[in-house]
Amino acid sequence: MHQYNILDSCEIILSRIKVPVPRLAIMLGSGLGYIAENLDKAVTIPYSSLPGFPNTTVVGHEGAVVVGLFNNVPILCLKGRQHAYETDDLTPLKTMIRTLKAVGIETLMTTSASGSLNADMPTGSIMAISDHINMMGINPLIGENYDEIGPRFPSMHNAWDMEHTKTMQKSAKKAKIKLFEGVYVAFRGPCFETKAEIKMAKIIGGDAVGMSAVPECIVAKHCGLKVTGCAVISNMAEGMNTEILSHEQTLAGARLAKSNLKKLVENFVPNFAVENKKVA
Ligand code: HPA
């Protein structure tokens, strides 16, 4: 039963960390693991030692929880996620996100390599996710609902937290980075989209496409976490230029955004800590 896994994994994390319980968790997408590399008092806990956590199988997604101080603020990094293209059973993703809630995390920030649907948003850009469209054809909450975790029919109002987006914009300004904002359209993959699918994604209101972010947002919202996210533009979507898309190309494109994402997170983390101080 995955509820037992949640409690066991929560206990392992709390017994291992060497910093106060973090309030912010950051999920690191393909090629974005470097954010976890510069934490002070860092403790790394492989997913394989956390009951119910995903087995990550994709290159660039080593599975580990890293908890430490980032500019003196405790944060929890998730290096690696489970994708909807890997399986029909998203239970490990649910266990991982719900464990965050049990640990005491309040906000999940997702980062994910994405394709741009906007000719003016080039490779290497960062886009704050303001909303999403789920074109995956699945929903991680399908199946039995546990009312003690969240409601059967959760609202997706403010799914991508507007206040956090404002904080991200403020942080981007301070870091002198252009931060785009827009709608993330999630396809299940694992193949990249066709040119016609990209045309559709633009028509229905999308600004970026990707194969992640949305399942974790839904699970996090359901269990009461706030969610914020950065789509890291690793390529122009299919048909927008002559590039042939591949995972290697995604990783190379994500590297172009490396210094900007780092600067953004460096500024966001202290701003988050100030703006989300607990009122005693
Ligand atoms: N499409 C879907 N997923 C992606 C893309 C894309 O163009 N780039 C990175 N992840």
Side-chain angles (χ1 to χ4, degrees), residues 7-101:
L7 296 177
D8 289 347
S9 289
C10 172
E11 206 175 294
I12 293 169
I13 293 171
L14 289 177
S15 69
R16 296 272 311 270
I17 63 177
K18 297 196 181 115
V19 297
V21 175
R23 315 201 20 219
L24 177 68
I26 307 184
M27 190 178 275
L28 301 168
S30 292
L32 306 173
Y34 54 84
I35 296 288
E37 276 155 24
N38 296 309
L39 302 185
D40 295 323
K41 298 191 182 171
V43 170
T44 300
I45 311 168
Y47 288 175
S48 55
S49 60
L50 293 167
F53 269 51
N55 292 321
T56 51
T57 57
V58 185
V59 180
H61 284 271
E62 314 82 355
V65 169
V66 186
V67 185
L69 295 177
F70 192 88
N71 287 348
N72 273 327
V73 179
I75 65 166
L76 184 154
C77 292
L78 294 162
K79 285 183 81 176
R81 53 156 66 87
Q82 190 189 29
H83 296 88
Y85 56 72
E86 291 173 279
T87 175
D88 278 326
D89 180 11
L90 290 172
T91 304
L93 178 78
K94 288 189 272 196
T95 301
M96 177 162 83
I97 306 262
R98 291 167 179 172
T99 298
L100 299 181
K101 173 75 179 171

